[in-house]
Amino acid sequence: MQATTKLIHSIPVDALTGSVSVPIYQTSTFVQEAPGVHKGYDYARTNNPTRAVLESVIAGLENGSTGIAFGSGLAAIDAVIKLLKTGDEVLAVDDIYGGAFRLFTHIYNKFGIKVNYVDTTDVENVFHAISPKTKLIWIETLTNPTLKISDIAAIAKIARSRGCLLCVDNTFASPALQQPLSLGADIVVHSATKYLGGHSDLIAGLVVTKNEQLGEKIKFIQNASGAILAPFDSWLVIRGVETLSLRVKQHCINAQAVAEFLEQHPAVDKVYYPGLKTHLNHAVAKRQSTGFGGVVSFSLKNDTEEAAIRFVTSTGLFKLAESLGGVKSLLCHPSSMTHKSIPVEKRHAAGVADSLIRLSVGLEEVEDLIDDLEKALNGRRSTVDHRPTTAEIQN
Ligand SMILES: *Cc1c(COP(=O)(O)O)cnc(C)c1O
């Protein structure tokens, strides 16, 4: 059976009523016949039937044994770090998601968990940076915003030989394009806020483990720490997942066309998209994933913050907002938004130029998206639903 068919039918029809849509069990507790005698559910932090469907669906999608749902992507990351103890070390990708960096630096550092950062696109770096204290390797592939790619299978081999766990933040690729557990990783985390939810209408996080013992440990942490995903939000993610393959396919087609358009435009300097042959890690991307995703980043020939701000306030279809993975196209200016807290030299070293712009290419007709970008690149404000100027607001 094809993956998409399997996915759609992994979402069960309700056994009790035949309801085609998964019921939302909006309850805090469950009646017991006698103490401890119940239908598998006693208290809704510990387990909820709607959340349980999502957890089983994502485990299937990622080819893992156990899925565990959290109130945000960061809560999912937090649960994985709680596997560690004081004195343990983490080896992490150097251009890690800013929220994960903040969590590691400002929360876990004070509990004596140290994180070392290396450029994991070069497997040699990973090999040499592992110490006897390293218990967890943390990679993102693709990374944000310059879409760097690390070789999951090669790093998994190193992790196994050195006795540490490998966790992959698979948010940017989504399981529709890449399944790290099949390539040897132990844990996958997601911000389901992005492609899995897919409609920019919720915050959610997921963890999937390859083996059941590790799954039990994360489930224990989920119940003990309590950052669970609510029943309605679980239902929204399930609904998003139903169209995941269809959406991601089109995100990839649109993003490829946008990247190729940008690459030949005279006002554009660099374009970052793994689907371009010019991308540094194009070959690895091609080997380990079935598509290149919906995010495209680029910098301008006029590499100034002013030029970038002018651009991001000129588009009409691409709306200025953080986040990605939704139906509507979004754009952001990392150096003044998502990456503002990173010192300027570090930002430049990571390839985040002053004029770098990140696009989350949505599901509009791609001709309209390119038209929108072309107008803005040529210095014209969009007439499609353009943002009001300050003067217009005051009038
Ligand atoms: C958004 C994001 C997160 C954090 O997820 P939230 O749902 O916002 O808490 C983690 N990792 C990556 C790669 C992300 O893009």
Side-chain angles (χ1 to χ4, degrees):
M1 203 188 286
Q2 299 287 313
T4 303
T5 313
K6 214 169 118 193
L7 161 63
I8 290 171
H9 288 271
S10 73
I11 299 165
V13 168
D14 180 41
L16 196 64
T17 62
S19 164
V20 171
S21 170
V22 174
I24 300 169
Y25 284 90
Q26 192 67 46
T27 186
S28 61
T29 193
F30 301 84
V31 173
Q32 309 188 14
E33 280 169 42
V37 182
H38 52 71
K39 297 177 162 68
Y41 298 95
D42 52 0
Y43 186 61
R45 171 171 22 78
T46 313
N47 222 338
N48 173 286
T50 312
R51 197 178 83 218
V53 169
L54 170 63
E55 293 176 330
S56 127
V57 167
I58 188 68
L61 255 179
E62 284 287 6
N63 211 4
S65 72
T66 316
I68 312 102
F70 294 89
S72 70
L74 270 171
I77 294 170
D78 181 71
V80 175
I81 300 302
K82 283 182 172 139
L83 290 168
L84 304 178
K85 59 180 191 315
T86 301
D88 288 349
E89 292 184 4
V90 182
L91 186 62
V93 58
D94 57 357
D95 54 351
I96 193 166
Y97 174 71
F101 180 80
R102 182 175 53 207
L103 176 69
F104 295 169
T105 309
H106 296 291
I107 308 286
Y108 283 104
N109 198 21
K110 70 179 182 218
F111 293 116
I113 293 171
K114 206 173 130 206
V115 184
N116 301 305
Y117 297 92
V118 291
D119 177 359
T120 58
T121 57
D122 185 348
V123 180
E124 290 277 308
N125 292 339
V126 178
F127 186 80
H128 293 298
I130 293 180
S131 84
K133 289 184 179 169
T134 309
K135 293 289 152 34
L136 177 66
I137 299 176
W138 190 282
I139 62 171
E140 281 169 36
T141 181
L142 330 152
T143 64
N144 175 31
T146 56
L147 307 166
K148 285 195 216 152
I149 286 159
S150 296
D151 188 331
I152 299 171
I155 296 174
K157 213 176 270 174
I158 295 173
R160 209 170 313 122
S161 75
R162 303 294 288 271
C164 32
L165 296 172
L166 172 62
C167 180
V168 180
D169 183 333
N170 203 26
T171 299
F172 270 52
S174 96
L177 299 179
Q178 173 175 286
Q179 288 114 24
L181 299 182
S182 304
L183 297 167
D186 302 286
I187 307 170
V188 160
V189 299
H190 277 287
S191 168
T193 309
K194 317 293 167 54
Y195 288 103
L196 288 166
H199 295 75
S200 309
D201 55 8
L202 87 157
I203 300 284
L206 296 162
V207 177
V208 185
T209 64
K210 184 74 190 169
N211 73 49
E212 274 169 31
Q213 295 91 308
L214 206 48
E216 282 309 312
K217 284 185 191 170
I218 302 276
K219 270 191 97 63
F220 182 87
I221 292 165
Q222 178 196 39
N223 184 48
S225 291
I228 50 154
L229 190 63
F232 181 65
D233 288 358
S234 298
W235 182 85
L236 276 175
V237 181
I238 294 168
R239 193 163 87 144
V241 163
E242 286 182 325
T243 55
L244 180 72
S245 3
L246 189 61
R247 283 186 289 107
V248 168
K249 237 179 251 173
Q250 195 61 40
H251 280 299
C252 291
I253 292 171
N254 286 3
Q256 182 78 35
V258 163
E260 285 170 11
F261 159 75
L262 289 171
E263 204 174 35
Q264 54 73 48
H265 196 283
V268 172
D269 186 21
K270 290 198 180 75
V271 182
Y272 300 90
Y273 185 66
L276 295 176
K277 292 204 177 62
T278 50
H279 188 281
L280 215 55
N281 316 112
H282 176 70
V284 182
K286 221 170 148 180
R287 174 155 31 91
Q288 72 184 11
S289 54
T290 54
F292 305 109
V295 177
V296 179
S297 296
F298 67 99
S299 57
L300 299 170
K301 284 261 169 63
N302 177 4
D303 185 28
T304 61
E305 178 154 332
E306 296 71 47
I309 304 258
R310 204 177 316 122
F311 181 88
V312 299
T313 52
S314 293
T315 54
L317 296 175
F318 281 89
K319 310 287 184 197
L320 183 63
E322 292 183 10
S323 201
L324 58 125
V327 165
K328 279 185 184 152
S329 290
L330 301 178
L331 87 178
C332 78
H333 178 231
S335 78
S336 68
M337 295 166 76
T338 49
H339 289 59
K340 198 176 177 178
S341 60
I342 299 171
V344 67
E345 314 79 61
K346 250 193 109 186
R347 213 157 61 208
H348 286 168
V352 182
D354 294 337
S355 69
L356 192 84
I357 291 156
R358 186 191 76 191
L359 306 176
S360 169
V361 181
L363 300 180
E364 301 89 343
E365 290 293 338
V366 73
E367 291 77 13
D368 294 329
L369 294 179
I370 288 174
D371 185 53
D372 196 41
L373 295 171
E374 184 160 39
K375 283 195 179 112
L377 282 170
N378 296 340
R380 305 211 316 270
R381 267 174 78 83
S382 169
T383 50
V384 186
D385 181 26
H386 75 86
R387 288 171 201 83
T389 62
T390 318
E392 282 167 342
I393 292 168
Q394 282 162 353
N395 285 334

